[in-house]
Amino acid sequence: MWDEQLGRAVATVVVAVGGSLALAWLSGRVVRHAARGRVAPFLNTLHRECHRPWSATLLVTGLLLAVPFSGITGEVRDEALHILLLALIYAGAWLVIRILFVFEDTAFRRLPVDMADNRRRRRARTQIGLLRRLTAVIISIVALAATLMTFSQLRALGASLLASAGVAGVVAGLAAQSVLGHVFAGLQLAFSDELRLDDVVVVDEEWGRVEEIRLTYVVVRVWDQRRLILPTSYFTTTPFQNWTRNEAQVLGSVILHLDFTADIDVLRAEAHRIVDASALWDRREWVMQVVDATETTICIRLLASAADAPSSWDLRCELREGLFAFLRRHHPDWLPRARSELAAPVGEEEVLPPARHAATGPSTGRAGTTRLGRPGAGGPDPGSSRATGPRGRAARAAGTRQFGSAAATRRQRTIDSAAADSARPGD
């Protein structure tokens, strides 16, 4: 008798499993055969994402239907039905969540963002993604509540979870918790249009793009391929820069510090030539102005518009390189430089190097050549206060000062050499 019941149960299970798998295979073939034309992407995605949960659902359903014909009775039959019911709940929840992924993928395919003005489409993709995640969470909660309701001891708790008043009470009670607070912040970001997928943002002094917006966190892809993981509540409580809030077009700036002798008109003409020749400029606007001046330089700012932030960065680098190449080739004297001024000390006369000169003798009136500092005809009076004797010249030469420049140093050496030459006794 027991062998007969066991054989009947095994045969029933084999038939149920075989029939379920055959039905899953047949439905897959039908879907693949119907995947033609405009519906082909949707049906292919549906088959790829839902094949396993659909097969699991069919298998559990077949076993659940086969148990009454298996001949199993008593507590074994009740336990088997309970287990299969739990499996059916979770398989159904798995299937519904995968179907949500299929609809999300189809919506994203109909909303491409590879275009210049994609702000509205990015907003729609952000909202669809968050709604899909929120719906998946709700389905998981419903599946958990349905599981609890299958147990007689926990049926009251499951009913309270499904009741609207009970759900509202749970949400209100957990709203103060950080996790659910992040969930509410994510929904606020999505439906207030504060943040969207692929937005260019600056957070914590890092420039990057929004790569993912989850219910509880946001992933920002930084320019050097790093990822910043920030809670969604960060964007609702902390100020941040959004460069693509209304449009993707941005202005890029280039700052130059040049000498006061730079010709602004010539530099502006060269900047216009570089900007106009660049494929990164969107032909919207550009301007070059002197915006500041310091003690040693003038500050020149060049603004040029670009279609998006990456193009603006490349355009700024191109303008900076072109302008510096122009200055290096044609006007290196316009680059910043330091100036210094040399002046004689107050109350002292400038000492000139001695030189040979013509003098007229006092008795004959003839022109005669004599060395400075040597007493003789035509020479200066050694006793006068303006005497140019060796000691007087050497003393004045020693009283000169140096002011720190290379020219002053060379000049002092010339003076000292000339004074030493005049101090030598004559022939």
Side-chain angles (χ1 to χ4, degrees), residues 104 108 124-134 197 213:
E104 180 189 35
F108 283 2
R125 289 169 69 104
T126 302
Q127 294 175 351
I128 291 172
L130 282 178
L131 282 177
R132 194 269 307 163
R133 292 181 177 90
L134 181 62
L197 289 172
I213 300 180

Side-chain angles (χ1 to χ4, degrees), residues 26-368:
L26 181 61
S27 61
R29 294 286 298 179
V30 171
V31 171
R32 286 196 298 269
H33 180 73
R36 297 177 182 178
R38 297 180 59 183
V39 297
F42 172 76
L43 292 179
N44 288 331
T45 305
L46 181 67
H47 180 265
R48 183 179 65 251
E49 296 291 338
C50 301
H51 177 68
R52 291 182 179 179
W54 171 246
S55 300
T57 303
L58 288 178
L59 178 61
V60 173
T61 303
L63 291 174
L64 190 62
L65 295 176
V67 168
F69 303 97
S70 62
I72 302 175
T73 59
E75 293 183 358
V76 176
R77 178 176 178 274
D78 295 338
E79 292 296 334
L81 289 175
H82 189 202
I83 293 174
L84 290 175
L85 180 59
L86 295 178
L88 181 61
I89 291 174
Y90 288 114
W94 182 21
L95 178 61
V96 174
I97 291 174
R98 299 312 299 177
I99 291 175
L100 291 176
F101 274 97
V102 172
F103 282 105
E104 180 189 35
D105 183 76
T106 303
F108 283 2
R109 194 182 303 113
R110 293 177 178 271
L111 296 170
V113 294
D114 52 347
M115 57 182 57
D117 188 10
N118 56 7
R119 184 174 61 89
R120 295 182 180 276
R121 297 193 175 193
R122 287 189 291 109
R123 176 184 179 182
R125 289 169 69 104
T126 302
Q127 294 175 351
I128 291 172
L130 282 178
L131 282 177
R132 194 269 307 163
R133 292 181 177 90
L134 181 62
T135 307
V137 171
I138 294 175
I139 291 173
S140 301
I141 294 176
V142 171
L144 178 61
T147 301
L148 295 177
M149 291 185 66
T150 61
F151 297 91
S152 57
Q153 299 85 352
L154 300 176
R155 187 167 300 170
L157 178 60
S160 65
L161 285 177
L162 288 178
S164 58
V167 173
V170 171
V171 171
L174 297 178
Q177 302 299 321
S178 59
V179 175
L180 200 56
H182 295 327
V183 172
F184 288 156
L187 295 176
Q188 179 181 346
L189 289 177
F191 292 97
S192 64
D193 204 22
E194 295 179 16
L195 197 67
R196 297 175 296 266
L197 289 172
D198 208 38
D199 267 349
V200 177
V201 295
V202 178
V203 291
D204 286 343
E205 299 183 357
E206 296 280 1
W207 182 95
R209 288 183 176 273
V210 178
E211 188 174 47
E212 295 181 48
I213 300 180
R214 301 282 183 171
L215 284 175
T216 57
Y217 64 90
V218 176
V219 180
V220 179
R221 185 180 71 250
V222 188
W223 63 272
D224 57 359
Q225 303 303 315
R226 291 180 293 122
R227 267 48 174 193
L228 287 179
I229 312 298
L230 300 169
T232 52
S233 59
Y234 173 89
F235 294 93
T236 59
T237 58
T238 306
F240 65 95
Q241 299 182 36
N242 189 340
W243 289 14
T244 53
R245 174 65 174 80
N246 295 319
E247 58 183 8
Q249 297 173 337
V250 292
L251 279 175
S253 64
V254 175
I255 302 295
L256 300 178
H257 290 273
L258 301 179
D259 191 75
F260 283 95
T261 59
D263 191 330
I264 304 302
D265 293 332
V266 174
L267 191 63
R268 183 178 286 112
E270 177 64 17
H272 182 230
R273 185 192 67 80
I274 298 174
V275 170
D276 191 62
S278 175
L280 299 172
W281 183 44
D282 61 359
R283 272 56 182 172
R284 192 160 47 96
E285 57 181 305
W286 83 277
V287 65
M288 194 187 83
Q289 297 171 319
V290 178
V291 296
D292 197 3
T294 65
E295 294 83 355
T296 56
T297 61
I298 57 175
C299 182
I300 298 175
R301 184 178 67 181
L302 174 62
L303 297 177
S305 59
D308 48 41
S311 300
S312 177
W313 173 265
D314 294 337
L315 178 61
R316 291 166 58 194
C317 296
E318 183 178 336
L319 293 177
R320 194 178 293 112
E321 294 171 2
L323 289 175
F324 277 124
F326 169 76
L327 293 172
R328 186 179 62 253
R329 287 195 305 265
H330 301 288
H331 300 285
D333 54 319
W334 292 358
L335 297 174
R337 52 181 175 171
R339 290 179 172 84
S340 60
E341 182 179 355
L342 302 178
V346 178
E348 295 187 11
E349 295 183 0
E350 184 180 6
V351 179
L352 298 176
R356 298 179 182 275
H357 67 282
T360 304
S363 59
T364 60
R366 291 177 301 174

